[in-house]
Amino acid sequence: MGAAEFILSLIAGLSTIFACVCSFHLIYMHLLNYNFPEYQVYIVRILGMVPIYSVTSFLSLVDRDTNRSLISDLFRDCYESFVIYNFLVLLIHFGGGERSLVYYLETKPRMRHPWPLSEVLPPIRLGASFMHAVRASCLQFVFVKPACVILLLYSENDQFPILTYPRMAALTDLIINVSVSVALYGLMLLYLATKEPIQPFRPLPKFLAVKAVIFFSFWQGFGLTLAVQLGIISDIEGNYTAREQVAAIQNFLVCLEMSIAAICHHFVFSYKDYMSPVLGTSQAVMITEERGSLFKHFGEVVNFKDILRDAHNLYGATNSRNPFETELVDGTPVVTPVDAIIEGKNSSNFDAREAENF
């Protein structure tokens, strides 16, 4: 390892340590002040994006083995798609839950698509079908992106004679680009349709914080790949291929960006928003011991059964109505309707005085 490589690895390593320490501290404080699990279970999952991104990128940077780097990318990409879906569910809970949001949306007029799609697509009818479509748009990314990375890993080992690695890389980049665009567009539509009831929770900074990480990591990789195709980045004979240089630059930049993301998360996903206004940290520790240990709270965070359940409901339901329409017709709201949050009244899940703190 040359001096330049050592310095870059050292900078990336220090950035990774800083990002992980900041994120783990914030996660610990959320688990310590676990007063609103209906929100915090998803927030903690989102916060896990920073250490996973930074650690996997650093390991790929210092390890030149292509297969191990692809496996690290697979793990990172799986979590990236997982974060998008968890952010969607977080927005739904901010609005009072699935049923409350559906009731609210049923009273709203049709919503136009953002420009320029509004010029070619008809207005959207809001309601249960809209919620179903938004969930589906985000959930598909949870499965599409890992599947593409697995195909890329197989092509690296010459498992596909016709589709060589460069061709498979171009194909999977196209599929992932379409998939992530659909997922982010679904998130944006949900925000535009429900921004009034979820406004007390300041969703826009949270949305931008999540989108920025995904946006920069994807388009950085796309831009570096394009630079190789244009000959801007080329092989260094006897040292690094163009592909290895692209991977190293991408991983180094991600390590640096995760430090910035970790700082931003302390502001947009602050644990202080979920602390009781009359209790300090010492009292929060006592309440945490009464409600369950930190390990129990962490166990709720890493229990991913809700994702599989949602996937089954979305793609495995055989009845004529989708599962959300069934809930709307057969069920009753488990929380006070969204209007209670808008008008400042008490709800069963979130006191209006707490909402003012967001």
Side-chain angles (χ1 to χ4, degrees), residues 84-103:
I84 288 183
Y85 188 74
N86 275 275
F87 186 73
L88 166 71
V89 180
L90 178 63
L91 291 182
I92 292 174
H93 280 274
F94 279 166
E98 183 83 27
R99 296 189 185 105
S100 291
L101 274 184
V102 169
Y103 293 151

Side-chain angles (χ1 to χ4, degrees), residues 21-316:
V21 170
C22 289
S23 293
F24 287 145
H25 173 262
L26 185 56
I27 289 172
Y28 171 77
M29 294 306 296
H30 269 287
L31 295 177
L32 187 64
N33 298 276
Y34 204 64
N35 299 313
F36 299 96
E38 64 269 30
Y39 309 131
Q40 289 174 283
V41 63
Y42 303 107
I43 290 176
V44 173
R45 289 176 179 177
I46 293 171
L47 295 177
M49 175 172 57
V50 167
I52 287 176
Y53 262 57
S54 56
V55 170
T56 55
S57 296
F58 177 73
L59 292 177
S60 297
L61 177 65
V62 297
D63 186 358
R64 295 180 59 177
D65 184 87
T66 305
N67 286 335
R68 286 196 291 266
S69 295
L70 283 174
I71 293 173
S72 296
D73 291 343
L74 172 62
F75 185 67
R76 181 178 63 193
D77 292 339
C78 286
Y79 203 84
E80 176 185 311
S81 56
F82 178 68
V83 163
I84 288 183
Y85 188 74
N86 275 275
F87 186 73
L88 166 71
V89 180
L90 178 63
L91 291 182
I92 292 174
H93 280 274
F94 279 166
E98 183 83 27
R99 296 189 185 105
S100 291
L101 274 184
V102 169
Y103 293 151
Y104 169 78
L105 293 173
E106 290 285 353
T107 65
K108 304 294 288 184
R110 291 176 180 266
M111 182 181 72
R112 292 174 59 85
H113 285 270
W115 187 88
L117 293 180
S118 59
E119 302 297 326
V120 295
L121 295 178
I124 306 169
R125 183 182 182 277
L126 302 177
S129 297
F130 170 75
M131 292 297 297
H132 180 271
V134 168
R135 275 188 180 267
S137 69
C138 291
L139 192 58
Q140 55 83 24
F141 187 57
V142 175
F143 301 102
V144 169
K145 185 158 189 179
C148 288
V149 179
I150 291 174
L151 288 175
L152 201 59
L153 184 61
Y154 269 87
S155 68
E156 171 66 20
N157 296 319
D158 298 326
Q159 299 295 323
F160 301 106
I162 299 177
L163 284 175
T164 58
Y165 182 86
R167 292 179 179 177
M168 181 62 76
L171 178 61
T172 54
D173 281 346
L174 176 61
I175 295 174
I176 291 173
N177 191 14
V178 173
S179 180
V180 70
S181 298
V182 170
L184 292 177
Y185 189 67
L187 276 178
M188 184 175 65
L189 289 179
L190 179 66
Y191 167 73
L192 293 175
T194 61
K195 60 182 177 181
E196 183 180 0
I198 66 178
Q199 191 58 43
F201 299 91
R202 296 174 305 162
L204 185 58
K206 295 177 174 63
F207 176 73
L208 294 177
V210 172
K211 184 178 179 180
V213 173
I214 297 171
F215 177 87
F216 283 118
S217 64
F218 178 79
W219 287 106
Q220 273 175 187
F222 181 81
L224 290 170
T225 302
L226 184 61
V228 173
Q229 298 297 325
L230 296 176
I232 300 175
I233 299 177
S234 58
D235 294 346
I236 300 177
E237 187 174 353
N239 200 348
Y240 290 103
T241 65
R243 178 180 161 194
E244 289 174 336
Q245 293 177 66
V246 164
I249 295 172
Q250 169 80 338
N251 290 320
F252 177 75
L253 292 176
V254 170
C255 290
L256 297 183
E257 291 160 358
M258 288 306 102
S259 298
I260 300 174
I263 297 173
C264 292
H265 284 177
H266 270 271
F267 293 96
V268 298
F269 292 109
S270 175
Y271 71 91
K272 296 179 181 178
D273 294 334
Y274 301 91
M275 291 179 63
S276 173
V278 296
L279 297 178
T281 301
S282 59
Q283 290 89 344
V285 173
M286 296 174 60
I287 292 178
T288 298
E289 292 175 351
E290 293 176 1
R291 294 183 178 178
S293 66
L294 291 175
F295 293 104
K296 179 183 177 181
H297 299 162
F298 184 74
E300 295 177 5
V301 172
V302 298
N303 186 355
F304 302 147
K305 290 182 180 179
D306 53 326
I307 301 295
L308 299 177
R309 183 180 63 250
D310 287 349
H312 172 74
N313 290 337
L314 278 168
Y315 303 120

